[in-house]
Amino acid sequence: CVTAEPYPPVLSELVSECEQLVHRHFSPKDIPDRWNLNTCLINFYGNKIVDGQTVDCARVGEHKDFEPGPVASLSLGERAMFQFVSSQGRNSPARVIFQQWLEDGSLQIFGGRKWKEELFHRVQRVDKKLGENLPVEIENFKVRRINFTFRYVPKKDWVKFHKFFTLFWVICQIN
């Protein structure tokens, strides 16, 4: 995780509310020492434009978040089918354990052994019902949904930006 500036006020308020919800509704054993939602990953879901054709690429394959503690997720735009799945690897189909539509403006918070360690999660698809094209300028891409995922990254895993950039440059030179 690269250190960055603080959240803007509107997100800072939301993050504070999420942290309070976690402390009220989660077992202390599922909340690491010094836990706070100190990072945000922003995902854009929509359509790629390839040779003038629209290609729907609005999904995320099954994965686990390895940052410790609960995760909070805010969805904006078209609704998305979010699933928790049990998976035995690429050679066998995943079994859906729980699924829900994440509507525009929905907040999802999950954590604990079952949801973070045992199960995988994925965005199976994003609807096109509203005809949303969010006003985000990305070349050859039409954004239908944006997701903000707030997580905790322990300070020991932070990297100063100039060190990250130097490491990135070295990796690029090797490849």
Side-chain angles (χ1 to χ4, degrees):
C1 180
V2 176
T3 55
E5 58 209 50
Y7 293 125
V10 67
L11 286 183
S12 184
E13 196 172 308
L14 173 70
V15 166
S16 177
E17 289 178 29
C18 290
E19 291 170 347
Q20 290 171 37
L21 284 169
V22 165
H23 284 287
R24 275 199 308 269
H25 297 284
F26 282 77
S27 169
K29 70 178 176 43
D30 294 325
I31 305 171
D33 210 23
R34 297 189 185 102
W35 176 88
N36 63 83
L37 296 171
N38 60 3
T39 60
C40 180
L41 172 68
I42 303 172
N43 286 313
F44 298 95
Y45 296 83
N47 301 323
K48 285 192 298 189
I49 310 300
V50 179
D51 298 326
Q53 300 295 313
T54 300
V55 179
D56 185 354
C57 59
R59 61 194 46 78
V60 172
E62 58 195 54
H63 65 283
K64 294 180 182 179
D65 296 337
F66 292 101
E67 299 86 359
V71 169
S73 171
L74 173 66
S75 296
L76 301 174
E78 293 279 6
R79 70 182 190 159
M81 174 55 70
F82 184 90
Q83 300 176 328
F84 285 100
V85 299
S86 175
S87 179
Q88 304 303 317
R90 294 184 187 270
N91 297 329
S92 63
R95 188 169 56 92
V96 176
I97 304 299
F98 177 79
Q99 66 182 12
Q100 70 184 125
W101 284 105
L102 299 178
E103 303 285 344
D104 179 38
S106 68
L107 176 66
Q108 178 192 54
I109 301 176
F110 66 92
R113 182 172 168 73
K114 178 178 181 178
W115 306 106
K116 288 278 306 265
E117 297 174 30
E118 295 174 14
L119 298 175
F120 291 82
H121 59 276
R122 66 187 180 192
V123 172
Q124 187 63 11
R125 68 188 176 101
V126 173
D127 262 358
K128 300 177 188 174
K129 290 183 177 178
L130 299 177
E132 292 276 6
N133 279 316
L134 300 176
V136 177
E137 300 275 334
I138 300 175
E139 188 174 344
N140 296 318
F141 195 80
K142 300 276 188 211
V143 177
R144 298 195 326 259
R145 175 177 186 262
I146 300 173
N147 177 264
F148 293 83
T149 305
F150 301 96
R151 310 157 190 256
Y152 168 61
V153 176
K155 198 163 187 165
K156 67 178 181 58
D157 296 326
W158 294 6
V159 175
K160 296 284 186 196
F161 183 75
H162 72 278
K163 289 183 180 178
F164 172 79
F165 186 74
T166 303
L167 177 63
F168 179 74
W169 185 86
V170 169
I171 290 169
C172 289
Q173 299 305 310
I174 293 171
N175 292 327

